[in-house]
Amino acid sequence: MINRLLRYVRNFYVATGLGLLAWMTFFDANDLPTQIRNWWKLRELDGDAKFYQAKIKAVQTERQEVLGNDRLREKFAREKYLMRKPGEDVFVIVDGQNEPLEK
């Protein structure tokens, strides 16, 4: 069995192929562990990008609503930042998902 393996390993092409495979797997600048680390980092960054794209879309939608007219701007400031006039109380009525009933 061992003699059979040695016979194949002594072949120039097999020995060169095994050496190249070992070099590419462990010693090269683009070795296998580095590629796996980069792949996981890419997946993590893709998830972050999707999260931030959703946040940007929500902020843009909110911005469009608020800048649309003065009444909504005042309503937004009163509900979100609890701004009020002196001597005035602000009440926000919410539903089960903690969202304002009036939009």
Side-chain angles (χ1 to χ4, degrees):
M1 179 75 177
I2 294 176
N3 287 336
R4 222 169 152 194
L5 287 176
L6 285 177
R7 189 173 72 206
Y8 287 121
V9 172
R10 285 184 190 153
N11 184 343
F12 173 75
Y13 297 108
V14 172
T16 303
L18 289 175
L20 181 63
L21 183 66
W23 181 265
M24 294 295 288
T25 304
F26 299 109
F27 303 114
D28 192 39
N30 296 316
D31 60 347
L32 191 62
T34 303
Q35 291 297 324
I36 292 170
R37 243 179 285 134
N38 288 342
W39 185 78
W40 281 108
K41 185 70 174 174
L42 177 65
R43 297 292 166 244
E44 180 182 325
L45 292 174
D46 281 342
D48 289 348
K50 287 178 184 176
F51 170 76
Y52 288 119
Q53 290 295 335
K55 283 290 207 184
I56 287 171
K57 189 169 217 151
V59 168
Q60 285 175 342
T61 303
E62 191 173 271
R63 183 173 181 255
Q64 282 294 92
E65 289 175 0
V66 169
L67 294 179
N69 70 37
D70 293 332
R71 186 166 177 253
L72 283 177
R73 189 176 308 133
E74 181 180 348
K75 179 180 177 242
F76 178 79
R78 288 173 178 266
E79 289 178 0
K80 184 116 177 159
Y81 300 110
L82 300 177
M83 294 182 171
R84 60 186 176 91
K85 296 177 183 173
E88 180 182 56
D89 292 328
V90 177
F91 297 97
V92 179
I93 301 172
V94 296
D95 60 6
Q97 284 84 23
N98 205 18
E99 295 287 326
L101 288 178
E102 186 180 312
K103 289 189 177 187

